[in-house]
Amino acid sequence: MELEKIIRDTAKNLLKLSAIVLPPTVEKALRDAYERTPEGPGKVQLKAIIDNIEAAKRLKKPICQDTGVVSFYLKVGDDFPLKSGLKRILTEATVEATREVPLRPNAVEILGSNTGTNVGTNIPWVVIELTEGDYLEITAFPKGGGSTNVSQVKMLSPGLGMKGVLTFYIDSLLNAGAAGCPPYFVGVGIGGGENVCVELAKKALLRPIGVRAEGELGKLEEKMIEAGNLLKIGAMGTGEGPTVLNVSIETACRHPASLPVAIVFSCWALRYSTARVAKSGEVEYLTHRGIVLGT
Amino acid sequence: MEVELKTPISEDEVRKLKVGDTLYITGTVVTARDQAHRRALEYVREGRKLPIDFNGLAVYHCGPIVRKVGEEWEVVSAGPTTSKRMEMFEYDFIEKLKARVVIGKGGMGDKTAEACKRFGAVYAAFTGGAGVLAAKAIKRVVGVYWDDLGMPEALWVFEVERFGPLTVAIDSSGRNMFKEAQERSAGMRESALRELGVM
């Protein structure tokens, strides 16, 4: 089969997988949360979440009716033969997946209406990283509106230092409350600039759960999880069960005069899926190994 | 406590529900989001007849994914949307249309709580994102009205069986679970900051 078709089919399948099956690490975090939450409204909500995850898998239907705005994160190998055509291929895959899964049309033109296809001006959003090797790595990363609406970005005064960052994190959580469908996965991006901190925070959400940042930052992530849970927003805002299931931090150097910070929230349904397409056309699924949904 | 109610739900039945109860509904649930709420209240103001009588029914803040299979509608996914956006309409909606249960996610405010108390209704939370679970409890699409508003905004009339679990979050005494939880969380701000060494 020609490589272009393989990429398109893989991207389409990744969108389908991400809408229907959570990455196993995300599912495990939710199951653990259910186990350790005492009986009450919080546990009822977590039980419904688990039942929903299982039903989605069994019935091959999207976990949530908000199947998100589509973005793709790519790693493009030096020796991978297809490059400038990738965006077009991914756009075609999005249109096909929207029709076939089906996904809810979530691309609305700013001075217009819903395109009906999940593609339009600059959507799907494609982030490209160049890498060594002869493969293409594709991550489909759709994100829902509820948790996007409570994400925050702020340019802090550098004099506030990390204390300012941590206060902003706690206040962002309080502001989010029940609105973004907790328990939350939180991506934190610090430094770089306006766009950089937000991009880092989103990328942080893609780091597998359980993998900590190195050194001091890793310890800070753990403390932030603990502190966030003291707020007791709870599962779906019931005040019971966990508030924060994970925090991942990514950083970049900052301008001496700035301290940009982004707090990006994901609802409990942190959805993404990754596969590698080799130059030979061989496809390896990384996040959803061995999960076949068929057509 | 776990309670199962069948529509039409009476004021007496709804007044027995308490914050924290788990509720399942069997009967008729009608979706309505921002535009449908606005239009329904316009109809009431103009004295026009609505396509459906909400009296005793449950109104659901939901923009479903629905597709047509042959002659029938199939509900693919139908989880709740954020209820706060409907806060500006819900008092009047409960007063004028006598809906007994309002279903959504994320909680509602003081005006809705006041309406629940005064007219006898509850706000019940369905798990955000649990779109398949909701779809499973929907046995049939009885009808769709105002489809000119688009798939997510139309009035979808669903026949449901044990629709839930719903957590009663505002009851007819005016108690508001989400508001109480939010106030408790705000009170924990200092402890959380101390944990992080900020204070």
Side-chain angles (χ1 to χ4, degrees), chain A residues 44-199:
Chain A
V44 169
Q45 295 293 326
L46 286 163
K47 174 75 165 48
I49 287 172
I50 307 285
D51 288 348
N52 187 69
I53 291 170
E54 288 173 356
K57 231 187 278 187
R58 196 171 59 245
L59 302 170
K60 297 177 184 173
K61 286 181 171 181
I63 295 163
C64 176
Q65 77 286 346
D66 181 357
T67 48
V69 159
V70 177
S71 57
F72 288 102
Y73 285 65
L74 306 183
K75 286 182 186 167
V76 185
D78 288 332
D79 300 321
F80 191 75
L82 236 156
K83 294 191 175 71
S84 65
L86 287 172
K87 209 168 167 178
R88 174 184 53 80
I89 297 168
L90 295 173
T91 302
E92 289 164 4
T94 305
V95 173
E96 287 178 22
T98 300
R99 195 175 49 233
E100 289 172 26
V101 177
L103 305 173
R104 193 174 76 178
N106 280 334
V108 182
E109 291 291 359
I110 298 305
L111 296 181
S113 54
N114 196 319
T115 64
T117 55
N118 272 319
V119 310
T121 306
N122 277 319
I123 294 293
W125 185 247
V126 181
V127 179
I128 295 170
E129 188 184 320
L130 301 177
T131 182
E132 287 180 355
D134 65 355
Y135 64 86
L136 164 72
E137 192 175 296
I138 310 172
T139 298
F141 188 16
K143 194 166 181 300
S147 61
T148 295
N149 287 347
V150 292
S151 293
Q152 303 246 7
V153 58
K154 197 169 183 181
M155 306 301 132
L156 297 179
S157 176
L160 294 171
M162 280 309 286
K163 286 189 174 180
V165 173
L166 296 170
T167 305
F168 183 50
Y169 160 71
I170 292 296
D171 288 339
S172 298
L173 264 172
L174 285 172
N175 174 69
C181 291
Y184 294 121
F185 297 90
V186 188
V188 180
I190 315 171
E194 310 90 331
N195 60 329
V196 179
C197 69
V198 178
E199 204 48 74

Side-chain angles (χ1 to χ4, degrees), chain B residues 153-171:
Chain B
E153 297 280 350
L155 289 179
W156 291 94
V157 184
F158 295 146
E159 182 187 314
V160 300
E161 196 179 314
R162 277 185 71 77
F163 186 85
L166 309 168
T167 298
V168 176
I170 297 176
D171 63 23

Side-chain angles (χ1 to χ4, degrees), chain A residues 189-257:
Chain A
I190 315 171
E194 310 90 331
N195 60 329
V196 179
C197 69
V198 178
E199 204 48 74
L200 288 171
K202 281 204 77 169
K203 242 182 174 165
L205 285 174
L206 295 174
R207 194 201 302 153
I209 291 154
V211 179
R212 290 272 146 254
E214 278 181 28
E216 287 299 309
L217 278 181
K219 285 183 199 142
L220 193 60
E221 288 174 351
E222 277 168 14
K223 280 188 89 168
M224 286 168 81
I225 297 170
E226 269 176 50
N229 281 317
L230 287 179
L231 297 177
K232 291 200 177 301
I233 293 166
M236 294 310 301
T238 53
E240 295 177 16
T243 300
V244 177
L245 290 178
N246 196 33
V247 173
S248 306
I249 308 175
E250 295 289 334
T251 66
C253 289
R254 60 180 181 81
H255 185 287

Side-chain angles (χ1 to χ4, degrees), chain A residues 19-31:
Chain A
I20 295 173
V21 186
L22 292 180
T25 49
V26 173
E27 181 174 336
K28 182 174 183 305
L30 290 163
R31 285 185 184 277

Side-chain angles (χ1 to χ4, degrees), chain B residues 46-81:
Chain B
E46 294 163 4
R48 295 168 66 183
K49 192 174 176 320
L50 269 76
I52 181 135
D53 181 5
F54 281 92
N55 194 340
L57 304 186
V59 56
Y60 183 24
H61 300 155
C62 167
I65 307 180
V66 184
R67 69 172 158 197
K68 204 144 201 184
V69 180
E71 286 302 295
E72 295 286 309
W73 289 102
E74 184 206 5
V75 181
V76 177
S77 193
T81 191

